[in-house]
Amino acid sequence: MMFREAQLVALALFHTFLLAICAANGNQTCRPSSCGEIQNISNPFRLKGDPFGCGDPDYELVCENNRTMVNVREGEKYYVADINYDHYTIRVVDPGVEKGNCLSTPLYSLSYYSFHSYYYWVLGVTNTTVLMNCEQPISDGNYIPITPCNRSNVTSSSSQTYVYALVGGELLRVHDIKYSCTILRTIATRFLKHDNLSMSDLQEVLLLGLDLSFLRFRCKSECEVKGLNCERNYSNYTVQCTKPRNFLTWFFLYISETLGVYFYYLSCSFLLLLSFSC
């Protein structure tokens, strides 16, 4: 009898031990990560190498040479200058831009719309700035004379060339460039007044970078998992869940959030085989 009671006690203790393990795994504490100047990398962001289940894989950051980097577009990593979790914004800077008495050329040639993606959205008013090589000097106040840090990066010609920047609106078309010049880079910058701009003004705004919103994450985590549409208000950093989707759409969005992207696409393939629309 005593042996049976001992067995029951041991079984109960073992069961309690298993429950404790499950609870510990289910309530894993995700401590903030850090890299360089960014000391509080937390949900929805995660640093590459963080424990599974901490942060959203769609918002994974990497630490390179003690600098936090984000992959805004495929193969194009930007420095992370700041993350504001209250406003759901992340400030990014082109890694080619550096401080100095000359203008370091940005690595990437991007327009305003290049930054808009499924996960991020550019905030505020932006300008499109064009860096160009010109064969002749230009006496036009709208063209900013540029002293490049490395001339070999901006010209392949051995002849004398002049480098200028032209600041336009959100869109700058080829016919806006009045002179015979070769375009080197198209850069999206935060707002710049066009009057009396200098190279240092342009460099300063390039070093500030751009603010990107990740309100898309709130849509996903607060609305879409419930089968609802989502409206984003970038001016006050909020989202509003609206009209629910049909059950099948909600079900497969739920699967995508809980089981991962692989299972989502697997489910979509299954639906297509049944001639449904995913």
Side-chain angles (χ1 to χ4, degrees):
M1 186 68 177
M2 290 182 63
F3 178 72
R4 179 173 177 79
E5 289 177 351
Q7 281 184 316
L8 292 173
V9 171
L11 185 62
L13 288 173
F14 181 68
H15 185 254
T16 303
F17 177 70
L18 288 179
L19 287 176
I21 292 177
C22 292
N25 289 335
N27 297 287
Q28 174 180 285
T29 301
C30 294
R31 296 182 177 86
S33 300
S34 64
C35 173
E37 297 180 357
I38 308 300
Q39 295 294 306
N40 184 26
I41 299 172
S42 53
N43 194 55
F45 294 101
R46 56 175 277 114
L47 196 63
K48 188 175 183 179
D50 281 351
F52 178 79
C54 291
D56 190 321
D58 292 332
Y59 294 91
E60 185 172 85
L61 308 176
V62 294
C63 192
E64 295 182 359
N65 300 318
N66 207 33
R67 295 289 298 267
T68 305
M69 310 286 287
V70 58
N71 195 349
V72 177
R73 300 200 313 172
E74 188 63 32
E76 297 181 354
K77 294 177 183 176
Y78 288 76
Y79 288 141
V80 177
D82 183 57
I83 301 175
N84 188 320
Y85 292 96
D86 294 327
H87 294 170
Y88 289 84
T89 59
I90 178 171
R91 184 159 57 88
V92 300
V93 178
D94 189 298
V97 180
E98 298 176 357
K99 293 180 180 179
N101 296 323
C102 52
L103 187 75
S104 50
T105 309
L107 289 184
Y108 307 124
S109 185
L110 296 172
S111 66
Y112 170 77
Y113 294 103
S114 300
F115 279 98
H116 292 326
S117 69
Y118 186 71
Y119 306 111
Y120 299 103
W121 189 266
V122 180
L123 289 180
V125 179
T126 62
N127 290 111
T128 297
T129 300
V130 174
L131 293 181
M132 64 191 81
N133 264 334
C134 301
E135 295 180 358
Q136 301 293 330
I138 298 174
S139 56
D140 185 328
N142 293 320
Y143 285 72
I144 307 168
I146 297 297
T147 303
C149 293
N150 189 341
R151 183 166 289 274
S152 63
N153 287 343
V154 297
T155 178
S156 58
S157 173
S158 58
S159 60
Q160 175 70 43
T161 57
Y162 304 86
V163 182
Y164 292 93
L166 178 63
V167 179
E170 287 188 359
L171 293 175
L172 187 62
R173 292 167 289 273
V174 173
H175 63 74
D176 293 328
I177 302 172
K178 302 176 184 178
Y179 302 92
S180 178
C181 301
T182 303
I183 295 176
L184 303 169
R185 291 283 190 277
T186 303
I187 314 162
T189 68
R190 59 181 65 216
F191 179 70
L192 272 168
K193 291 184 179 180
H194 293 207
D195 299 332
N196 300 318
L197 287 175
S198 66
M199 185 185 74
S200 60
D201 295 328
L202 178 58
Q203 186 177 45
E204 184 179 345
V205 80
L206 287 173
L207 287 167
L208 283 174
L210 287 173
D211 290 317
L212 308 182
S213 170
F214 57 94
L215 271 180
R216 179 73 187 79
F217 171 76
R218 285 194 67 182
C219 280
K220 186 170 70 168
S221 61
E222 296 179 18
C223 301
E224 293 176 3
V225 293
K226 301 174 184 177
L228 302 175
N229 292 327
C230 181
E231 295 179 0
R232 284 163 274 184
N233 189 326
Y234 294 108
S235 61
N236 61 11
Y237 319 107
T238 60
V239 300
Q240 181 179 2
C241 300
T242 57
K243 184 180 177 181
R245 297 183 174 97
N246 63 63
F247 174 76
L248 280 177
T249 304
W250 172 84
F251 178 71
F252 287 103
L253 278 171
Y254 176 78
I255 288 177
S256 73
E257 295 297 326
T258 55
L259 300 181
V261 175
Y262 172 76
F263 289 97
Y264 174 68
Y265 285 115
L266 192 65
S267 304
C268 288
S269 300
F270 178 70
L271 271 185
L272 288 173
L273 288 174
L274 295 178
S275 298
F276 281 101
S277 172
C278 183

